[in-house]
Amino acid sequence: MKHTIQAHIAPKEIYPSTLRLGGSNPEGDQISFTNYYMELNGKPYFAICGEFHYSRYPEADWETELRQMKMSGINVIATYIFWNHHEETEGEFDWSGNRNLRKFVELCRDNELYVILRVGPFCHGEVRNGGLPDWLFGREFDVRSNDEGYLSYVRRLFAEIGREADALMYKDGGPVIGIQLENEFNAAAALWEQTAKQGDEYLSGGIGGEEGAAHMRLLKEYAVDSGLIAPIYTSTGWGEAPFLEDEVLPLYGGYAYTPWSISDPGQTQTPTPEYVFVNFHDDQAQGGEFNPPYPRTKYPFACCEMGGGMQTWYLSRFQVEPESVLAMTLMKLAGGCNFIGYYMFHGGTNPVGRTGYLNESTTPKLTYDFQAPIGEFGQIRESNGLLRPLHYFLRQFADRLAPMATVLPEGAEAVTPDDAHTLRYAVRTDGSSGFLFVNNYQDHVEMDEHKGVVFEVKLGEEVLCFPQRSSLTVKPKASFLLPFNFALDGLNLKYATAQPVTAVESAEAITYFFAMPEGMDGEFLLDAQDGILSVSTDAGTIEGNGSSYNVLIPHQVSSMIVIKRDGAREVRIYAMSAKDAAKLWELEDGGQSRIVFSEVPLVQTREGIEFLSSGQNAFKFREYAGGAVAPATQWSTVQAEAAVSRRTEGWFQICDVEVPQKEIALTTRRLHDHKLALQLPEDVLQGAEEVLLSIDYTGNVGYAFAGGQLFHDHFYNGLPWEIGLSRFRDVLRRGEIILETTPLRTGAVTVAADAAMAVEKIFEGEATAMFHSVTATPVYRVALKLQELADGEN
């Protein structure tokens, strides 16, 4: 079926924003804004923000996790500063250990990551009272109000944060580029955990109108007075949030999973509007919750809370589909978003306070894994492999995408979230080149498969129809972008049924990496311009007609296309299978890129790279040898017990890595079907970076105890319950771990007719509480460094 879109438009009107934001650092770098995107030194800069809460993660592991986020393509770390994590007892601030904000921000700086501090005072984040301390209640004032009593405490909090972040602002050479004021003010609130929960008792959601704007202005003044001076001030813009015109950049978001909409265990979530294309810069478009009190063309559409996952709630036990995260990002990009932000990108664990648990009662007491792209114990999830190539694309080609306008096909406004039959697509273009976005994912809907798809993009006198040689099938849950009239170092790629990812170059050649979506052959149509001497490929077929070359690569394989030119460097296109694209990692080396393919996650360090291998003591990776620096160096091991060997295969250097295998003696003793005792050796962590327990069970809530103390928990949702043991060394010294689960019930609860004053409830139905298996998997950290090749080596 042919799908047509009229993309012959005038280029997007771009002009300096009226936002009184921006600033420079001592090195002369300048942050500024147009009406459409953020700029760094006058060029489009694509902020890719990932939320990571330092106080929910062990201080000793912060740097590794920040490096994992950076390798995932994140360039801005957003973090809440939860008031009750720091001042649980009035007047006693704690900024030590896992609460050491200063050290966390310094590590971001050292790893060349920008930071947005979400200073509150109200944060939410599924934290007790939304982050407000218990002692703040029962006073003469109302929280989140303009009462001087409340504001005096806010000033004190901001002054404390300012002292901790002193000299770390962008203007001082630090990484803090943004300050978020409050959160969801006058739009949402948190449960009031101060009282026993007999019903749904909520805090104040804030105030609207002029009083609400006055409150936000006071918060900004207090931040500035406390030294929290940054190029960007933000606030969440959804709902009826007060808005400080030209003073604050409003941020938006969207979630595929909305457990707050579930009030009954049997209730089914309705599909969200997040997966229907919309033009965020069109004042006439339906925007759902995006209904700003300003012309949409006035400011960039920017996001801080795109669902990187979602924490399971007691009444809502979903499994986050990895495809939902990628599709969310593509939908925002297609609509004109040039500033993306994930909540959460990295999961964590709630600390236990002096007065009890610091979580919100809708969620588990301890775990805040969020099913995020990086899990609570550093696990790299499938969604990470889907997002990473797209992030690399945004980093490499921001200057191309950012200025392009959104165009929707005729009839797009009639598509509804529950429409499983219409293929959804849109374009971002400057009128002559651009990107076609395709989405066949919708939360809580089974989408149709679309076979024999042909796209017709009209660009005035030029009409592009593709594919021409292959049959394009768009599978359910698929989402991707395809380029048209894409510049390749002086050549023109008319179209490709593959997604651009990144590029590396040397004096001899430039190599573009493209990812073929699952099940889609890669078809590349090149203009046959003067100077092309030959076009060849490792796999696939080539057809030429004098005016163009059509190269078709089967989707199951990865293949190099080589274009030799007269008097110009070689152009290469590496068409990757979807499986290979999920293994791609981009390293930075002296201003050059190195491309590594590895199933095992890795991070870049100052000395080289470190692999974090779950269960595999022997593995291999391959590095593209066609870049500027790779042939001159080789990888060697840092650890004496590790070994690495190297060989060449085609375009790649293959490295085989091995470390001694660790056997874990895990003894399981079944106390009841619903209760297990685990015995682990005292040296269980010796020779491993981490040991990850994977618990297969059926129940309602899972609890892990040691010495009678709860140290981890889990709301059952059908996925394995995972626990990393390295942060629980003190727990392990207490001896046996006891796992227990309460029953998962299907049926009805009634009150006994003859119940006494202490009401007895009777359950009738089916109840399951059963542990099936527990495994323990070592995670190996393997460090490699670069060394120069000796003469004669290759």
Side-chain angles (χ1 to χ4, degrees):
M1 181 177 178
K2 183 181 289 187
H3 300 269
T4 300
I5 188 164
Q6 174 57 256
H8 183 53
I9 63 167
K12 177 79 177 177
E13 187 180 1
I14 309 290
Y15 48 84
S17 173
T18 56
L19 284 164
R20 296 190 293 274
L21 298 178
S24 59
N25 66 10
E27 288 73 39
D29 295 318
Q30 182 83 28
I31 290 174
S32 56
F33 285 89
T34 71
N35 64 317
Y36 203 42
Y37 50 78
M38 176 177 165
E39 293 178 311
L40 181 63
N41 298 328
K43 297 180 180 179
Y45 181 81
F46 223 107
I48 308 169
C49 309
E51 189 91 9
F52 178 29
H53 296 155
Y54 61 94
S55 59
R56 281 171 156 159
Y57 216 82
E59 173 195 15
D61 299 326
W62 283 345
E63 186 156 41
T64 294
E65 301 312 305
L66 288 170
R67 288 171 173 173
Q68 286 213 99
M69 292 184 75
K70 186 174 182 179
M71 286 299 294
S72 303
I74 298 297
N75 53 24
V76 181
I77 301 296
T79 191
Y80 274 136
I81 300 173
F82 295 116
W83 192 350
N84 59 0
H85 285 194
H86 293 286
E87 194 188 6
E88 190 177 359
T89 301
E90 184 177 358
E92 298 180 19
F93 279 93
D94 183 359
W95 299 98
S96 63
N98 298 350
R99 294 166 168 83
N100 191 337
L101 170 65
R102 183 170 194 82
K103 179 178 179 180
F104 181 79
V105 176
E106 287 174 341
L107 287 172
C108 292
R109 176 199 62 198
D110 295 345
N111 287 278
E112 298 180 326
L113 290 161
Y114 289 136
V115 176
I116 294 176
L117 297 178
R118 305 179 83 180
V119 299
F122 174 84
C123 297
H124 201 186
E126 289 70 62
V127 168
R128 182 178 176 86
N129 305 324
L132 300 180
D134 286 354
W135 55 260
L136 199 62
F137 299 91
R139 309 287 178 133
E140 292 185 359
F141 54 77
D142 293 328
V143 298
R144 306 179 80 185
S145 75
N146 288 336
D147 189 289
E148 177 54 31
Y150 173 69
L151 294 176
S152 67
Y153 281 113
V154 173
R155 285 195 296 271
R156 192 186 67 175
L157 169 67
F158 281 16
E160 282 282 333
I161 297 171
R163 278 190 287 271
E164 292 301 312
D166 181 50
L168 293 173
M169 300 296 109
Y170 187 73
K171 67 180 180 61
D172 305 313
V176 178
I177 63 168
I179 302 293
Q180 179 180 303
L181 306 170
E182 243 277 352
N183 187 61
E184 300 180 310
F185 194 68
N186 197 45
L191 288 168
W192 189 11
E193 303 288 351
Q194 183 79 348
T195 58
K197 187 174 180 290
Q198 298 296 327
D200 289 328
E201 297 179 1
Y202 279 80
L203 303 174
S204 164
I207 44 182
E210 292 184 5
E211 281 191 81
H215 185 81
M216 296 299 290
R217 185 163 285 107
L218 285 171
L219 293 185
K220 185 178 178 186
E221 288 176 9
Y222 298 162
V224 171
D225 291 345
S226 301
L228 298 170
I229 301 170
I232 309 171
Y233 290 90
T234 74
S235 64
T236 48
W238 55 85
E240 299 297 324
F243 172 66
L244 299 182
E245 189 169 2
D246 289 343
E247 295 183 49
V248 170
L249 176 67
L251 299 181
Y252 299 89
Y255 292 94
Y257 300 87
T258 59
W260 52 85
S261 68
I262 305 298
S263 57
D264 182 271
Q267 188 176 350
T268 302
Q269 183 189 313
T270 57
T272 69
E274 299 300 332
Y275 298 98
V276 176
F277 284 108
V278 63
N279 184 349
F280 297 114
H281 248 222
D282 179 1
D283 284 318
Q284 308 306 315
Q286 295 295 318
E289 288 194 9
F290 179 53
N291 187 26
Y294 54 84
R296 296 184 189 182
T297 55
K298 188 174 185 181
Y299 303 134
F301 178 83
C303 288
C304 63
E305 288 199 24
M306 293 154 40
M310 178 51 68
Q311 183 60 42
T312 50
W313 287 27
Y314 190 77
L315 295 179
S316 190
R317 307 297 184 90
F318 46 83
Q319 295 181 17
V320 171
E321 295 180 297
E323 298 89 350
S324 73
V325 188
L326 174 63
M328 174 75 69
T329 306
L330 279 162
M331 297 303 291
K332 299 298 184 188
L333 296 176
C337 182
N338 291 313
F339 186 122
I340 59 176
Y342 299 95
Y343 188 100
M344 301 285 295
F345 197 83
H346 199 308
T349 309
N350 293 310
V352 178
R354 301 177 187 176
T355 58
Y357 297 105
L358 295 175
N359 69 311
E360 185 175 82
S361 57
T362 54
T363 60
K365 287 179 166 57
L366 296 168
T367 181
Y368 197 65
D369 176 79
F370 218 79
Q371 302 181 55
I374 305 179
E376 179 179 11
F377 301 102
Q379 313 99 303
I380 297 295
R381 299 264 167 70
E382 184 181 346
S383 58
N384 193 299
L386 296 175
L387 288 171
R388 199 167 57 249
L390 180 60
H391 293 167
Y392 291 167
F393 162 77
L394 296 175
R395 192 164 64 187
Q396 180 75 37
F397 300 111
D399 59 335
R400 301 195 193 186
L401 177 66
M404 290 182 171
T406 297
V407 179
L408 305 184
E410 186 176 346
E413 65 281 352
V415 176
T416 58
D418 58 358
D419 181 350
H421 314 301
T422 303
L423 181 61
R424 305 174 188 182
Y425 61 100
V427 156
R428 279 188 69 174
T429 182
D430 58 10
S432 58
S433 62
F435 303 92
L436 173 74
F437 291 79
V438 180
N439 175 47
N440 199 29
Y441 178 87
Q442 173 65 59
D443 65 279
H444 304 90
V445 173
E446 292 292 328
M447 302 295 283
D448 290 348
E449 181 175 83
H450 299 269
K451 296 182 178 180
V453 172
V454 174
F455 291 106
E456 182 180 66
V457 180
K458 295 184 175 181
L459 299 164
E461 294 182 1
E462 181 181 31
V463 177
L464 295 175
C465 282
F466 57 92
Q468 295 177 7
R469 295 177 57 204
S470 59
S471 179
L472 195 157
T473 297
V474 181
K475 295 185 174 183
K477 300 185 182 181
S479 60
F480 50 86
L481 65 87
L482 306 176
F484 55 89
N485 286 333
F486 187 80
L488 297 175
D489 197 44
L491 299 179
N492 183 43
L493 179 65
K494 299 293 289 183
Y495 66 79
T497 56
Q499 184 169 309
V501 176
T502 191
V504 297
E505 55 186 308
S506 66
E508 294 75 28
I510 181 167
T511 307
Y512 295 89
F513 292 81
F514 279 74
M516 295 180 285
E518 188 70 43
M520 281 176 51
D521 294 338
E523 185 174 317
F524 299 81
L525 185 68
L526 285 157
D527 272 344
Q529 298 170 350
D530 290 341
I532 292 181
L533 300 177
S534 66
V535 179
S536 61
T537 184
D538 298 338
T541 59
I542 303 171
E543 289 185 359
N545 59 13
S547 63
S548 64
Y549 296 92
N550 189 310
V551 186
L552 185 62
I553 308 296
H555 66 268
Q556 306 95 329
V557 299
S558 298
S559 178
M560 187 72 79
I561 302 167
V562 178
I563 305 151
K564 295 185 180 295
R565 298 186 288 176
D566 185 15
R569 63 181 173 177
E570 197 169 273
V571 172
R572 302 170 189 162
I573 300 172
Y574 189 61
M576 300 176 287
S577 68
K579 185 178 179 181
D580 265 357
K583 300 177 188 175
L584 185 148
W585 306 84
E586 187 170 11
L587 309 176
E588 298 175 10
D589 185 5
Q592 299 286 344
S593 291
R594 301 177 74 114
I595 302 297
V596 169
F597 290 88
S598 173
E599 196 171 80
V600 173
L602 64 144
V603 298
Q604 187 165 8
T605 67
R606 295 169 188 84
E607 296 76 29
I609 54 177
E610 292 180 347
F611 290 89
L612 299 165
S613 176
S614 182
Q616 298 182 63
N617 71 302
F619 58 91
K620 68 179 180 180
F621 69 94
R622 58 194 177 100
E623 181 176 7
Y624 178 56
V629 292
T633 55
Q634 68 178 4
W635 295 106
S636 63
T637 60
V638 173
Q639 298 135 291
E641 69 274 16
V644 60
S645 61
R646 183 173 61 90
R647 64 188 188 277
T648 300
E649 289 184 6
W651 298 97
F652 296 91
Q653 297 287 336
I654 312 295
C655 290
D656 295 284
V657 182
E658 187 171 3
V659 293
Q661 186 171 1
K662 179 178 176 60
E663 301 290 345
I664 299 175
L666 171 67
T667 303
T668 304
R669 187 160 51 91
R670 187 174 292 275
L671 306 174
H672 303 286
D673 284 346
H674 70 278
K675 184 180 273 191
L676 293 182
L678 304 182
Q679 188 69 50
L680 292 158
E682 290 185 8
D683 64 347
V684 65
L685 289 166
Q686 186 176 332
E689 175 70 15
E690 175 68 277
V691 170
L692 199 63
L693 294 182
S694 181
I695 304 158
D696 182 12
Y697 78 109
T698 304
N700 182 29
V701 179
Y703 300 96
F705 297 91
Q709 183 177 338
L710 180 71
F711 70 91
H712 202 256
D713 58 353
H714 183 261
F715 283 179
Y716 175 78
N717 68 343
L719 292 173
W721 170 18
E722 293 185 325
I723 306 176
L725 297 179
S726 65
R727 71 185 61 172
F728 300 120
R729 295 174 192 272
D730 292 341
V731 169
L732 295 175
R733 284 192 278 270
R734 298 179 198 144
E736 279 188 327
I737 293 174
I738 302 296
L739 300 178
E740 187 165 3
T741 181
T742 52
L744 180 68
R745 292 173 168 176
T746 304
V749 177
T750 59
V751 177
D754 58 349
M757 286 191 296
V759 174
E760 179 185 358
K761 292 186 177 181
I762 298 173
F763 170 73
E764 293 183 357
E766 202 174 304
T768 306
M770 172 72 73
F771 282 99
H772 308 297
S773 66
V774 181
T775 58
T777 301
V779 177
Y780 305 96
R781 183 189 291 260
V782 186
L784 302 182
K785 63 182 179 180
L786 281 171
Q787 67 179 33
E788 296 294 325
L789 283 170
D791 290 342
E793 287 188 280
N794 54 50

